[in-house]
Amino acid sequence: MSDQPDLFAPDVPDLQAKGLSPAYPDRAKWGTVPTLRAWQAAALQKYRDDDPKDFLAVATPGAGKTSFALTVASDLLNRRVVDKLIVVAPTEHLKTQWAEAAERVGIALDPDYSTRQGRASADFTGVALTYAGVAVNPTALRLRTERARTLVILDEIHHAGDALSWGESVREAFEPARRRLALTGTPFRSDANPIPFVKYEPDGTGALQSRADYSYGYGQALADGIVRPVIFMSYSGEMNWRTSAGDEISARLGAELTRDMAGQALRTALDPNGAWIPTVLRAADHRLTEVRRHVPDAGGLVIANDQAHAREYAKMIEAVSGEKPVVVLSDEPGSSARIADFSAGQQRWMVAVRMVSEGVDVPRLAVGVYATATGTPLFFAQAIGRFVRARTRGETASVFLPSLPHLLDYAATMEKERNHALRIDQATPDESQLIEAAQRTETEPDALLEDHWAALGSEADFDRVVFDGGSFGQQALPGSEDELEYLGLPGLLEPEQVTALLRDRQAQQVRRTSTAPAAAGPSTHQRLRDLRKELNGLVAAWHHRTNTPHAVIHSELRSATGGPPSAAAEEDALRERIDLIRHWAVSGRDSRR
């Protein structure tokens, strides 16, 4: 080790001696913190004490992993422990963010480096690549790593397990590195792909469990005021769809269903032609308006399932809010600029598919809609991590969810720390099984791959609020007083104030329900739901008889009777459409004429 002066060590005792809050300093630019937060100082001290070749830091999104890593890099470079730096990130956009953050602390990184070009310019101290870029030519990177004393920063290290080839490439390329610093802010993957350079220890149950060298969880960061509390607004509703076998199914979103049926119900909810997603987007925009009363630049993000859905959702948001949202469809040139412009701007909404789900820093995001069928704990944590980055105390985040048991469980256990477990009591798989496992990513249920599936209709209703591990509220109609009271929570609240207000809202809702006069028959909501269900069934039968698309039939009925789409139609209009399609069935009228 070098005998040169210790550049950063004085910060650690100095910070502790001054008694500064663990949240100090307040929100700084991405990757730049002039004075270390308490957890960063403690992690740096542990790094200096252990003097390790490999170090894994697990810290919740928004806590400042990048600043910690660049502090370590600056320290090692200044003390000549290393001469060069390589940063590996999940996406092209994050490569650029790393380069910009490093520049602000005096480290020049080349985010455009490719192994095909050989050497980088001497103006750069290092390069930034993606995990996919490493896999292109790991041998070339190994030679680069060997030529100089190199520090490798592996950002979101779990991506090295996305495919067997990626993990092997990372190990091949960076095995000769002088130092390796691995970072992650989310639960590790749930598959059995080992992650390179991560330590595993027996957990006493026949498995190997990953071990972090330093951990700083969401619960700790929330208590320290570094991250925002997240209020989860869950929505359920009745779903109607036709299976690939031609069976027409009706089920409630979130009810006890088989895995396939649950996946089909979720697909139905996310279908742009139904009523569920427009209702939820309208509620989310209402919530964003309320938040912006207290936080004028607050923004919203919709995480869509695919590009087609993203485009349709953007149209719905524009119709509701009167403002065209920013749409980010893929990790391509121009996307990073749109995200950066949104981050620095005042626009209300951004709609994206996947690239904004991890690592992207947009601190003003305060309202989210989780409108994707990807439901792994890893992806969920990545997505929610976009909303927890605090700027000032009192800011809260609100995320709208499908009311599915596994998502509600993730929401209720955000503070739970998860490690990567590898089973060691199973038979050794053969090569073909390993290849299949490596190519199988943690994404949608198998049901989402079916052909000939079709959504027939959906409705949404407010289900509950999940906050700080607790559940508040009960079912309410969209637009009702009960729903609006939850949507109208102030945008600036301390966590204990959120809990108190949620309890108060719940008590008011229960009192209204218990004191409401007994209804002589089904409620308005029940009658409308039954009529829509009956109409959808008749439309499906007419479709089978005439082979006319469902949407065309609904359009002709609406044209003949007037009024809005069935999801918003009044009772008389629905009855008139039911009578009309029954008349078609009796008279033999061909709707295609």
Side-chain angles (χ1 to χ4, degrees), residues 50 208 288 401:
D50 293 351
L208 295 175
L288 181 58
L401 298 173

Side-chain angles (χ1 to χ4, degrees), residues 569-586:
E570 297 178 353
E571 186 172 342
D572 289 345
L574 292 172
R575 292 188 186 279
E576 188 174 358
R577 293 173 196 181
I578 289 171
D579 290 341
L580 178 57
I581 196 169
R582 282 177 173 164
H583 174 72
W584 291 355
V586 172

